[in-house]
């Protein structure tokens, strides 16, 4: 019996072309030191220097998904190589091959790259919603597919045995993630170029963070359609290619090594931020717990709250619109904490707060401002509106064994 996908054309609105003016400013970043924790249950924070920022897309459909058009694997990877992406997860619908992902996307001779780190994965496409799998190496996806209608506890056991990273896709609205969030390591808080669709996903993320789940927020374009090779190959969905493709949004990962495992570990640990496109600034959030002027934590890190004030620093790094001012909104424990402006040569914002000792708290930031043009996907900027970037939280007193 053929199992039909609930077709997932999540990009319907197409914006108008926007005039281009690309400005490039690279800002250097350096930070040092590792702070020791006094609470033995919270492991020490990893080095802030030992890694490399990598950018990529974690939700992509190739011709191996039946609802895709003009999008062979080589076209996606070729675009990513040319545009300077560092990693990709091509996540075709597993139900289209009844779980046999191992003989679908991964065995395609085009599934290879010298430049772009390719993760192994698929979109786990079930009646209770969709999730993406990310893995540094091939795994037995069939086993996950086969338990899709079982109780969550059984699925979780299989997921653990496979050693995979599981991520809740587009958690609100159509095909929302209807499983326990205890099963997942991350959540797609920014699906496709259309930022406005993601408000409920952000609410769910904050709910889960408030509940003590240390879930990484990530992006994914969920793009399905490529540029037709000739006009007669165009479909009614081909216009989506101009508005939603690789990197709308772009997920940044601070990876220890430039390898598939480095990317997956960064995702699991939450050293991740999201930008509307690869040319927008990347947001980085740091904290200085002992206020010695040196940052000792970054987003995704978890440490014990001492009851003393902590200094935070938000940095906008990379490309920006020359002379523009960016609005940085700080969210503490799901509630607005403060709004700041970043402008000038060094796009940095600092603030101070005292996380309560003995209680959980988290701080994350959202950045609004003018979109840096993404000429390769020219209609994406309007769909993303003013939303430029999201950080992951800096955490205090989160139980690592939750
Ligand atoms: Zn989906
Ligand atoms: Zn999808």
């Amino acid at each position: 019996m053929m199992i039909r996908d609930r077709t997932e054309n999540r990009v319907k609105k197409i914006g108008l072309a926007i005039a281009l003016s690309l400005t490039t400013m690279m800002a250097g970043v350096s930070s040092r030191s590792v702070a020791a924790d006094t609470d033995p249950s919270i492991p020490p924070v990893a080095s802030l220097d030992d890694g490399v920022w990598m950018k990529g897309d974690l939700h992509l459909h190739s011709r191996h998904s039946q609802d895709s058009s003009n999008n062979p694997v080589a076209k996606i990877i070729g675009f990513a190589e040319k545009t300077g992406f560092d990693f990709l997860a091509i996540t075709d619908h597993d139900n289209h091959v009844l779980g046999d992902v191992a003989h679908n996307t991964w065995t395609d001779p085009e599934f290879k790259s010298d430049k772009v780190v390719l993760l192994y994965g698929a979109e786990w496409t079930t009646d209770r919603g969709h999730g993406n799998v990310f893995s540094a190496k091939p795994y037995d996806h069939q086993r996950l597919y086969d338990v899709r209608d079982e109780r969550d506890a059984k699925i979780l056991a299989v997921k653990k045995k496979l050693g995979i990273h599981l991520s809740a896709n587009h958690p609100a609205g159509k095909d929302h993630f209807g499983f326990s969030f205890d099963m997942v390591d991350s959540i797609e808080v920014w699906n496709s170029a259309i930022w406005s669709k993601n408000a409920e996903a952000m609410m769910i993320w904050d709910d889960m963070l408030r509940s003590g789940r240390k879930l990484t927020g990530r992006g994914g374009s969920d793009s399905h359609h490529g540029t037709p090779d000739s006009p007669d190959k165009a479909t009614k969905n081909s216009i989506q290619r101009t508005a939603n493709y690789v990197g709308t949004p772009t997920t940044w990962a601070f990876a220890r090594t430039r390898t598939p495992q480095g990317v997956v570990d960064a995702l699991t640990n939450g050293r991740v931020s999201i930008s509307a496109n690869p040319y927008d600034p990347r947001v980085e959030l740091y904290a200085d717990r002992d206020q010695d002027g040196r940052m000792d934590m970054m987003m995704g890190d978890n440490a014990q709250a001492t009851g003393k004030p902590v200094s935070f620093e938000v940095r906008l790094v990379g490309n920006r619109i020359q002379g523009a001012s960016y609005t940085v909104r700080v969210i503490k424990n799901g509630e607005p904490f403060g709004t700041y402006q970043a402008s000038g040569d060094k796009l940095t914002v600092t603030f101070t707060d005292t996380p309560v000792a003995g209680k959980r708290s988290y701080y994350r930031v959202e950045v609004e401002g003018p979109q840096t043009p993404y000429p390769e996907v020219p209609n994406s900027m309007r769909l993303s509106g003013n939303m430029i970037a999201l950080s992951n939280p800096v955490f205090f007193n989160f139980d690592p064994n939750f």
Side-chain angles (χ1 to χ4, degrees):
M1 190 186 81
M2 193 65 205
I3 296 178
R4 293 299 305 172
D5 175 40
R6 287 181 287 166
T7 306
E8 196 194 350
N9 295 325
R10 303 189 70 84
V11 178
K12 296 244 161 63
K13 287 185 257 170
I14 303 300
L16 301 170
I18 291 174
L20 314 177
S21 73
L22 183 62
T23 307
T24 302
M25 284 278 294
M26 294 304 293
V29 177
S30 81
S31 46
R32 296 174 288 151
S33 97
V34 177
D37 277 289
T38 48
D39 181 344
S41 73
I42 298 180
V45 171
S47 161
L48 300 188
D49 301 319
D50 186 12
V52 55
W53 281 106
M54 297 175 68
K55 61 179 185 287
D57 194 331
L58 293 163
H59 193 161
L60 296 159
H61 295 272
S62 77
R63 71 174 180 87
H64 296 289
S65 296
Q66 289 159 9
D67 50 359
S68 153
S69 70
N70 296 301
N71 216 21
V73 169
K75 194 174 276 184
I76 298 169
I77 293 175
F79 176 90
E81 288 175 344
K82 213 172 126 197
T83 317
F85 285 94
D86 301 295
F87 64 87
L88 291 180
I90 298 177
T91 51
D92 286 307
H93 294 293
D94 66 351
N95 59 329
H96 295 177
V97 288
L98 305 179
D100 191 13
V101 172
H103 297 97
N104 196 35
T105 315
W106 307 344
T107 49
D108 189 323
E110 297 177 355
F111 187 75
K112 60 178 190 315
S113 176
D114 296 334
K115 294 191 184 120
V116 177
V117 167
L118 299 178
L119 302 184
Y120 290 87
E123 183 161 14
W124 189 51
T125 310
T126 85
D127 287 345
R128 266 185 285 169
H130 299 181
N132 271 357
V133 176
F134 305 121
S135 175
K137 50 185 192 295
Y139 61 94
D140 190 357
H141 188 95
Q142 190 71 53
R143 291 181 59 196
L144 186 69
Y145 180 77
D146 289 346
V147 294
R148 68 198 180 284
D149 291 329
E150 303 279 355
R151 304 290 292 268
D152 290 0
K154 186 163 179 189
I155 299 169
L156 179 58
V158 169
K159 180 237 167 191
K160 282 186 172 160
K161 198 139 200 190
L162 294 173
I164 52 176
H165 180 115
L166 185 60
S167 189
N169 287 356
H170 40 73
K174 192 162 84 67
D175 300 327
H176 67 278
F177 191 80
F179 299 90
S180 166
F181 283 82
D182 290 347
M183 285 165 41
V184 299
D185 308 291
S186 64
I187 169 170
E188 187 175 67
V189 293
W190 191 337
N191 174 283
S192 91
I194 305 175
W195 163 252
S196 58
K197 280 193 324 181
N198 293 281
E200 285 103 350
M202 294 295 292
M203 276 174 51
I204 292 168
W205 188 31
D206 273 321
D207 281 351
M208 291 304 131
L209 295 170
R210 268 196 298 246
S211 73
R213 291 168 176 82
K214 191 175 168 295
L215 291 180
T216 301
R218 63 150 183 98
S221 69
D222 208 354
S223 57
H224 285 65
H225 305 285
T227 307
D229 292 331
S230 58
D232 60 302
K233 301 265 175 26
T235 69
K236 66 177 178 6
N237 293 316
S238 292
I239 191 147
Q240 291 188 20
R241 164 62 183 81
T242 67
N244 193 52
Y245 203 55
V246 179
T248 60
T250 293
T251 299
W252 296 88
F254 188 69
R256 288 281 298 279
T257 55
R258 207 188 153 76
T259 60
Q261 195 63 56
V263 175
V264 173
D265 289 346
L267 268 177
T268 303
N269 296 332
R271 287 182 155 190
V272 164
S273 71
I274 313 168
S275 300
N277 74 54
Y279 304 135
D280 269 325
R282 173 179 71 241
V283 62
E284 300 174 6
L285 174 61
Y286 296 91
D288 175 7
R289 276 193 304 152
D290 51 9
Q291 290 204 303
D292 65 353
R294 293 186 326 203
M295 295 297 137
D296 40 46
M297 294 171 75
M298 70 179 284
M299 50 195 173
D301 293 342
N302 177 35
Q304 190 182 37
T306 59
K308 292 187 182 130
V310 172
S311 301
F312 295 84
E313 188 171 299
V314 182
R315 299 175 193 160
L316 299 182
V317 182
N319 302 301
R320 93 276 287 279
I321 299 281
Q322 191 66 39
S325 176
Y326 295 86
T327 302
V328 175
R329 265 201 315 274
V330 178
I331 288 96
K332 176 187 179 185
N333 302 336
E335 303 291 338
F337 174 82
T339 301
Y340 309 84
Q341 292 298 317
S343 59
D345 288 345
K346 208 166 168 232
L347 295 179
T348 302
V349 159
T350 56
F351 60 95
T352 301
D353 193 42
T354 304
V356 176
K359 288 198 163 174
R360 278 197 312 267
S361 49
Y362 70 88
Y363 301 78
R364 62 175 188 82
V365 303
E366 303 177 356
V367 181
E368 291 186 345
Q371 297 288 343
T372 313
Y374 185 17
E376 294 88 343
V377 191
N379 296 326
S380 63
M381 291 94 76
R382 180 156 297 183
L383 297 183
S384 303
N386 292 327
M387 182 53 69
I388 300 296
L390 293 177
S391 80
N392 265 274
V394 165
F395 298 93
F396 294 93
N397 292 348
F398 271 60
D399 179 357
N401 300 313
F402 182 89

